[in-house]
Amino acid sequence: MLEFTAPLFLALQQTTGLNFSPFFDEYDLGRLMTGVQTSLLLILCVLAVSLVVGLLGAAAQRSRFWVLRFLVATYIAVFRNTPPVVQLLFFYFGLGAFTPQVDMGGWYEPMISSFGWAVIALGIFGGSYNVEIFRAGIEAVPKATSEATEALAFSPMQTFVHVTMPLALRFSLPALASNLISLAKTTSIAYVIAVPEMTYALSGVWNDRLNVGEMMTLLFVYYIAVVAIISVIMGQLEKRLSVPGLGK
Amino acid sequence: MTTEYTEAWAPDQPIIDIRGLHKSFGTFEVLKGIDLSVHQGEVICIIGPSGSGKSTLIRTINGLTPINKGQIFIEGQLITGPKFDRLALRRRVGMVFQQYNLFPHRTVLDNVMMAPRLVLKEPKAEVRDRARALLAKVRLADKENHYPGELSGGQQQRVAIARSLCMRPDMMLFDEVTAALDPETVKEVLTTIKDLASEGMTCVLVTHEMGFAREIADRVVFTDGGRIVESGPPAQIFGDPQDARTKQFLSQVL
């Protein structure tokens, strides 16, 4: 790749002083690629965890057991009312201190890596919003619809799986899309616990090269591209699930 | 009052037998002792002013609304006891609502097929044939791939009737099924119900369509204040009401 980009970006630097070093320097390119890979993997894992947590939380909110409902309510209150950076630091430094170390054959590493903690902390953070989003979707399904299933002898489970959930999912999608986008952007704060994602990788570059403005621009473009991809996917999903005469 | 049917139910006995039914919502007593029996093939129209407990009464028949006191027997089985299997009951009692309550994310054909497929676990091809026949019967054969949101209120209500019939119920309950419809689509729904009644389906209707009640009912039941005030053949109720409250009500709506 460098053979194609290097002449162009070297010329750019010579004529304008703009230093996009990852496009002509092999070492910086390596850092950028690690950043992209880690960031994409982090986003994927965090979104997946947040969705699972959201679904489980929404189901638990409808539980007959008040203890379970109370736990979910507490969880939402705690994680929506504290900044994600604080949560991340709390998980990494607070809980991380108590997790066992694993013998890697001569040296020791914590059982949960900084990447692992970022997935857990941000997944749970995003999940607290998803619980509420799914709950709103479920509550938007008219009570009368489940009355009809009751009259048709559906079991409560059949009603949930075949009627309530498919409708709730459709009602939730727009809010879910904006939360997932917001969450994808929030992954950049994994930088504070040294997860080598995009922000961390490029900060390494600008610390060495002092090309802060250029790397910031690159970071901007990267996140815009990621958000665009998520938007398109969610938009396609909404389109595929759309039903004539429903919710319009 | 506390007798339970122990012998097998025979078709000459009441298919629906309600005895001393009481129902309260909080401190408000909606039904204050209802006795009503319906025989197989009968068409019963329940009329009366708003708040007289008509809808509550019809909803107790398939267990949608739990009762406080009294007994309800369906085909000889006590359905108001604690051990009764409500799902088994609802397979035999079809119900159609004022607001149709179709599943908006499924096509018309799916709406009709879902309950027999999921609840009765019947084979797909068989259910599909039956569903198509029922859609043809309610004159919506050409709409099977449409979604409920694309249909008019009257069409949706006819799909709801077909959906209920696809479970092959022994009796049908209609709770003000034309109340939410445009006047021009009321007729198509009433025609469907009339066809059903003429085929011998046991029907209990809560309705404000007095002309329709007069035309198809075997018996009209007038309720007011949580009690059955008067019941009898339509000619008698509409032509020669005995109770002052019946007379007053009919003078206002006719």
Side-chain angles (χ1 to χ4, degrees):
Chain A
M1 185 180 133
L2 276 186
E3 305 114 69
F4 303 106
T5 56
L8 184 70
F9 282 94
L10 277 172
L12 186 72
Q13 192 190 13
Q14 275 151 17
T15 51
T16 64
L18 290 172
N19 180 4
F20 285 91
S21 58
F23 298 119
F24 56 76
D25 182 275
E26 202 163 334
Y27 180 62
D28 285 357
L29 176 65
R31 290 201 275 194
L32 172 71
M33 293 321 280
T34 309
V36 171
Q37 277 169 20
T38 311
S39 170
L40 290 179
L41 188 64
L42 182 64
I43 289 171
L44 210 64
C45 292
V46 166
L47 297 194
V49 169
S50 82
L51 285 173
V52 172
V53 168
L55 285 172
L56 291 179
Q61 258 183 344
R62 298 162 58 80
S63 163
R64 282 179 293 131
F65 305 108
W66 71 267
V67 179
L68 207 53
R69 294 198 305 268
F70 176 77
L71 285 176
V72 176
T74 311
Y75 154 62
I76 292 170
V78 169
F79 282 88
R80 286 206 313 182
N81 296 338
T82 51
V85 180
V86 174
Q87 291 167 21
L88 198 58
L89 294 173
F90 169 77
F91 273 95
Y92 187 62
F93 293 110
L95 297 185
F98 299 104
T99 55
Q101 303 274 316
V102 184
D103 189 345
M104 300 298 285
W107 79 96
Y108 286 88
E109 272 193 8
M111 197 170 72
I112 302 172
S113 64
S114 61
F115 181 88
W117 280 119
V119 170
I120 293 170
L122 295 173
I124 291 176
F125 163 72
S128 66
Y129 285 86
N130 286 348
V131 172
E132 291 294 88
I133 288 168
F134 288 134
R135 182 177 65 96
I138 290 170
E139 281 174 5
V141 178
K143 285 266 180 300
T145 311
S146 52
E147 203 160 65
T149 61
E150 221 181 303
L152 287 165
F154 281 44
S155 70
M157 194 62 180
Q158 287 169 332
T159 300
F160 188 73
V161 171
H162 296 281
V163 180
T164 310
M165 215 177 57
L167 287 173
L169 183 66
R170 288 172 170 87
F171 297 144
S172 304
L173 273 184
L176 189 64
S178 61
N179 188 43
L180 293 185
I181 285 169
S182 160
L183 193 55
K185 293 183 295 181
T186 308
T187 59
S188 67
I189 65 168
Y191 158 79
V192 301
I193 58 168
V195 176
E197 47 71 60
M198 197 61 178
T199 312
Y200 185 86
L202 292 189
S203 75
V205 176
W206 79 58
N207 279 327
D208 293 345
R209 302 268 184 178
L210 303 176
N211 52 353
V212 180
E214 294 88 328
M215 291 305 100
M216 285 285 184
T217 310
L218 200 55
L219 208 50
F220 251 93
V221 172
Y222 168 73
Y223 278 109
I224 287 170
V226 167
V227 168
I229 292 168
I230 298 176
S231 299
V232 167
I233 292 172
M234 293 304 283
Q236 285 297 321
L237 192 63
E238 225 174 297
K239 221 180 200 169
R240 277 194 60 166
L241 289 179
S242 81
V243 167
L246 176 64
K248 291 281 149 42
Chain B
M1 286 302 285
T2 52
T3 48
E4 281 190 35
Y5 286 118
T6 46
E7 74 274 29
W9 174 77
D12 58 335
Q13 291 168 311
I15 193 167
I16 301 170
D17 196 356
I18 301 172
R19 301 175 187 182
L21 170 61
H22 287 259
K23 170 68 189 176
S24 303
F25 289 113
T27 55
F28 179 63
E29 194 171 27
V30 190
L31 300 174
K32 302 171 181 166
I34 299 277
D35 294 285
L36 178 68
S37 58
V38 180
H39 280 83
Q40 198 163 34
E42 255 193 309
V43 176
I44 307 284
C45 285
I46 303 173
I47 61 169
S50 298
S52 63
K54 308 179 297 284
S55 283
T56 309
L57 172 60
I58 202 173
R59 290 163 61 94
T60 62
I61 299 175
N62 72 345
L64 272 184
T65 300
I67 68 170
N68 297 108
K69 215 170 103 190
Q71 293 174 311
I72 300 173
F73 295 90
I74 300 292
E75 294 174 351
Q77 274 184 297
L78 181 68
I79 64 151
T80 46
K83 283 184 197 150
F84 189 73
D85 178 5
R86 288 216 165 69
L87 295 184
L89 163 71
R90 289 174 185 148
R91 287 171 201 180
R92 287 181 278 145
V93 185
M95 183 156 188
V96 184
F97 301 87
Q98 180 176 338
Q99 290 296 342
Y100 350 120
N101 304 344
L102 295 178
F103 310 130
H105 60 302
R106 303 297 283 268
T107 62
V108 164
L109 186 64
D110 278 348
N111 263 274
V112 179
M113 287 177 62
M114 250 167 111
R117 289 282 294 140
L118 289 173
V119 178
L120 306 178
K121 316 259 185 257
E122 291 180 294
K124 191 172 181 177
E126 197 182 308
V127 177
R128 197 198 293 118
D129 291 347
R130 194 161 79 227
R132 287 200 168 125
L134 284 166
L135 284 174
K137 188 172 164 179
V138 299
R139 299 176 193 87
L140 289 171
D142 55 328
K143 301 285 187 200
E144 67 169 56
N145 292 320
H146 285 61
Y147 285 90
E150 301 173 295
L151 305 183
S152 73
Q155 290 171 329
Q156 289 193 52
Q157 194 58 290
R158 283 183 283 152
V159 175
I161 293 172
R163 180 176 69 172
S164 216
L165 289 174
C166 205
M167 288 290 277
R168 288 183 289 196
D170 298 336
M171 66 207 84
M172 288 287 288
L173 310 174
F174 296 92
D175 186 7
E176 299 194 27
V177 292
T178 56
L181 299 179
D182 298 331
E184 61 264 37
T185 59
V186 166
K187 198 162 171 254
E188 62 196 34
V189 173
L190 294 183
T191 308
T192 304
I193 299 174
K194 208 164 101 184
D195 292 347
L196 210 56
S198 67
E199 286 165 19
M201 175 67 83
T202 309
C203 295
V204 179
L205 298 97
V206 168
T207 186
H208 290 294
E209 302 284 334
M210 296 304 153
F212 181 65
R214 183 178 226 157
E215 188 184 344
I216 74 155
D218 295 312
R219 193 145 46 100
V220 175
V221 174
F222 174 71
T223 60
D224 191 20
R227 289 198 174 82
I228 293 179
V229 175
E230 192 170 351
S231 80
Q236 181 198 318
I237 297 290
F238 292 110
D240 183 24
Q242 301 299 307
D243 194 281
R245 276 178 292 173
T246 319
K247 282 180 195 165
Q248 195 206 352
F249 174 72
L250 291 174
S251 72
Q252 280 166 350
V253 298
L254 287 182

